Amino acid sequence: MSVQNNQKWAVMLCGGFGSRMGSLTEAVPKPLLIIHERPIIWYSFWTLYKNGFRNFILPLGYLGHMVEEYITEISKDVECNIHFIDTGIETSIAERIKQVSYLIPKDESFFLLNTDTVFDFDVNSMYQHHIARKALVTVSTVEVTTPWGMLTVVGGEIIDFDKDRDVQRFMSSHLNDGYGVVHSGLAWIQKSALDYIDFENIGDDFETALFGSAIREQRMSHFPLEGIWVPIDTPKDLAAMNYRLEFGDYSNSSIKDIYRDDVHSFNINKT
């Protein structure tokens, strides 16, 4: 069902090969790999819907027809506008966004995300943060867990070691008073920010071009993400998230039942 276009917009990147998944993506696109009986993109779509998004743009690529069939099926009973645009298989993120940008109304901001990430946080508060600061781009930043463990050093002496310590900030090697934060891959982008980008010459590095432009204009912001954020990059990540939802720290999480219990029944094992 369609709705008026005055609701929030999301651009859901879903066209990549998912090559780091190896044989798992030979017949199924990465967004349709299963976590706790549901495709990864199920979590993305219903989290956005829960947060008031009603306009969705999916730049299709590798096995895009399967993504289109699945999203069409699970959304058939709810009010929303979904735009499926075939942007090609071997297409850069920059080119995909360029091809779909005409759909986004002038002066609107859109939420850009990869559909291989499970997340649940206050996206609306992030939007208010973005608007209040008149930002061209607002990224959500996250804590990360180093896979190598972290040594805590005070006064040149090691005082602690933690294998699973979360890291909030990184020291900058080129600024004495600077520090680094980690971009989650989830961002609010004012459509006019795209006007600062030379799409013909940026190649594959969309984020560097976009963020660099926003920083030069002093209209770049970041929003600390408090909630769930789990990128699924490798088979190990997929297995770990399945375990966390079944037995681990997310076993009682609302992320398991964001919206409906029956939408995973659609058959995705076909080409």
Side-chain angles (χ1 to χ4, degrees), residues 209-222:
L210 176 68
F211 296 173
S213 297
I215 291 167
R216 286 191 294 272
E217 295 295 318
Q218 297 184 324
R219 295 179 63 188
M220 180 89 176
S221 178
H222 77 93

Side-chain angles (χ1 to χ4, degrees), residues 119-178:
F119 65 94
D120 190 22
F121 69 103
D122 195 343
V123 181
N124 291 315
S125 288
M126 182 182 173
Y127 176 73
Q128 295 302 324
H129 174 99
H130 172 71
I131 296 301
R133 284 157 180 75
K134 299 181 180 179
L136 288 172
V137 179
T138 298
V139 300
S140 56
T141 56
V142 293
E143 296 181 350
V144 294
T145 302
T146 169
W148 307 285
M150 186 174 71
L151 295 165
T152 302
V153 181
V154 176
E157 298 294 329
I158 297 173
I159 65 168
D160 191 22
F161 172 77
D162 196 324
K163 184 67 175 176
D164 298 311
R165 177 70 59 83
D166 287 340
V167 180
Q168 291 181 317
R169 299 178 178 181
F170 295 91
M171 298 301 296
S172 173
S173 61
H174 63 281
L175 291 174
N176 292 333
D177 59 349

Side-chain angles (χ1 to χ4, degrees), residues 32-105:
L32 296 187
L33 293 179
I34 300 299
I35 292 179
H36 194 67
E37 300 181 333
R38 295 163 177 147
I40 302 172
I41 200 170
W42 182 93
Y43 297 91
S44 301
F45 181 84
W46 290 119
T47 296
L48 293 173
Y49 192 89
K50 178 186 72 173
N51 279 276
F53 287 82
R54 297 296 182 269
N55 295 292
F56 302 87
I57 300 172
L58 286 85
L60 301 176
Y62 175 66
L63 297 178
H65 66 285
M66 296 179 68
V67 174
E68 181 173 356
E69 287 177 13
Y70 180 73
I71 293 296
T72 299
E73 177 67 18
I74 68 171
S75 64
K76 65 184 180 181
D77 296 325
V78 297
E79 293 185 349
C80 59
N81 300 314
I82 303 180
H83 305 271
F84 301 100
I85 308 297
D86 184 355
T87 55
I89 295 178
E90 297 188 16
T91 306
S92 68
I93 291 175
E95 180 59 27
R96 293 189 196 280
I97 291 173
K98 178 184 176 183
Q99 288 189 38
V100 304
S101 62
Y102 73 94
L103 292 164
I104 303 166

